């Protein structure tokens, strides 16, 4: 229900501030997002195979597959941390509450002062922008990307929180699998853990296109 409400609110604000949401979406790395999508799909496969191993009484296989699923989940969170750091470095953290305040005009990085200048990217044709956009219009759109980033961090942060819960759940299942508790006669906890993990994966399958992909080619106002 939380994700349903956030998806609805995101779509409403996206319609209202469409150019700003397109500009914000274009400023995040689709490569990292795609990599994380592949990682989660792989983790869904290893989790499904864990259920199969439990059903067939393969204790060691259960343990190794649970470990693989946890490693893939940790890899996802590591990539997400890298993405968050990049946004922090570009001063795209909304709310002025963490480190440097939000700045859509760049100039926050000590090594690259132009890093994170969304207004410039909107007007720069080399970045698929629109050179006909006035400087004032580009700056207004860049300022409104703070709304996009509020949704971005809230939705991906909530998803990451569910991932952490999932990793804790898998760790608990791993300890029980090591002691040989699961087999053809009893594997309900493994099955329920798998359902939770697949739910978290499915949420990301909706988040990835919504935040990273839609209308990336229309960068401009």
């Amino acid at each position: 229900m939380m994700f349903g409400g956030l998806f609805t609110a995101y779509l409403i604000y996206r319609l209202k501030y469409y150019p700003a949401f397109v500009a914000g979406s274009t400023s995040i790395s689709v490569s990292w997002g795609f990599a994380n999508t592949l990682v989660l799909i792989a983790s869904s496969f290893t989790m499904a195979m864990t259920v199969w191993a439990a059903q067939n009484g393969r204790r060691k296989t259960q343990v190794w597959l649970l470990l693989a699923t946890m490693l893939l989940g940790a890899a996802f969170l590591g990539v997400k941390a890298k993405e968050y750091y990049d946004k922090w470095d570009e001063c795209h953290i909304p709310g002025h509450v963490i480190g440097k305040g939000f700045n859509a005009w760049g100039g926050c990085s000590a090594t690259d002062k132009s890093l994170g200048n969304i207004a410039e990217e909107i007007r720069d044709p080399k970045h698929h922008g629109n050179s006909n956009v006035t400087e004032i219009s580009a700056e207004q759109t860049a300022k409104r990307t703070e709304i996009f980033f509020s949704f971005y961090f809230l939705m991906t942060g909530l998803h990451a929180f569910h991932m952490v819960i999932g990793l804790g759940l898998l760790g608990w299942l791993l300890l029980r699998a090591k002691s040989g508790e699961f087999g053809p006669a009893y594997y309900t906890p493994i099955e329920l853990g798998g359902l939770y993990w697949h739910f978290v994966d499915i949420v990301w399958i909706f988040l990835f296109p919504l935040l990273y992909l839609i209308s990336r080619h229309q960068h401009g106002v």
Side-chain angles (χ1 to χ4, degrees), residues 3-112:
F3 282 109
L6 284 172
F7 279 124
T8 303
Y10 176 88
L11 291 173
I12 292 172
Y13 274 90
R14 184 183 178 86
L15 288 174
K16 188 172 183 178
Y17 301 108
Y18 179 75
F21 273 57
V22 171
S25 177
T26 308
S27 77
I28 57 179
S29 171
V30 70
S31 299
W32 285 121
F34 181 66
N36 256 351
T37 302
L38 295 179
V39 166
L40 277 194
I41 290 173
S43 75
S44 266
F45 175 74
T46 55
M47 192 65 228
M49 292 304 295
T50 304
V51 176
W52 170 83
Q55 290 172 334
N56 290 275
R58 298 171 183 264
R59 187 177 65 83
K60 287 186 178 178
T61 307
Q62 287 175 53
V63 172
W64 282 111
L65 287 170
L66 279 171
L67 278 172
T69 306
M70 293 178 70
L71 283 174
L72 289 167
F76 176 92
L77 292 176
V79 170
K80 184 50 64 184
K82 158 67 177 168
E83 288 188 274
Y84 282 0
Y85 174 79
D86 287 345
K87 291 288 99 185
W88 175 81
D89 199 31
E90 295 171 359
C91 286
H92 290 167
I93 305 291
H96 304 261
V97 292
I98 302 176
K100 301 167 281 189
F102 182 83
N103 183 355
W105 294 270
C108 292
S109 171
T111 54
D112 185 355

Side-chain angles (χ1 to χ4, degrees), residues 113-135:
K113 296 296 183 184
S114 65
L115 192 66
N117 193 332
I118 295 176
E120 185 62 29
E121 290 178 3
I122 290 172
R123 301 189 68 205
D124 185 356
K126 288 186 298 184
H127 291 84
H128 310 291
N130 186 349
S131 58
N132 295 321
V133 176
T134 65
E135 185 174 347

